[in-house]
Amino acid sequence: MDGVHILLVENNKADEKLAMIAFKQNDLLENVVVARNGAEALDYLLGNHEQEAQPLPTIVILDL
């Protein structure tokens, strides 16, 4: 899906793995950024991350 960007905020590795499987099955895996906690999510949203400039997410998924 072009134009869809997902920020997954998840601190549980098992839940993250399940979410990533679902994203992969729906061809969304390349559009997902994972933050391990709220601080990482805020850093990403505010542009305080070390990755290349990324677009703001279309959707934020918290604590599956």
Side-chain angles (χ1 to χ4, degrees):
M1 288 181 142
D2 291 336
V4 174
H5 301 281
I6 301 167
L7 175 59
L8 173 65
V9 185
E10 183 57 69
N11 62 351
N12 183 302
K13 283 286 196 184
D15 288 344
E16 177 187 337
K17 184 176 180 179
L18 289 173
M20 298 307 274
I21 289 169
F23 292 138
K24 183 177 182 180
Q25 290 173 343
N26 290 284
D27 295 322
L28 293 170
L29 196 58
E30 65 188 40
N31 301 338
V32 178
V33 173
V34 178
R36 306 264 186 268
N37 56 50
E40 282 186 18
L42 286 174
D43 282 345
Y44 179 83
L45 291 170
L46 296 173
N48 299 332
H49 50 84
E50 296 177 8
Q51 299 174 351
E52 289 182 29
Q54 298 284 333
L56 288 176
T58 308
I59 186 168
V60 177
I61 301 174
L62 303 169
D63 282 333
L64 300 173

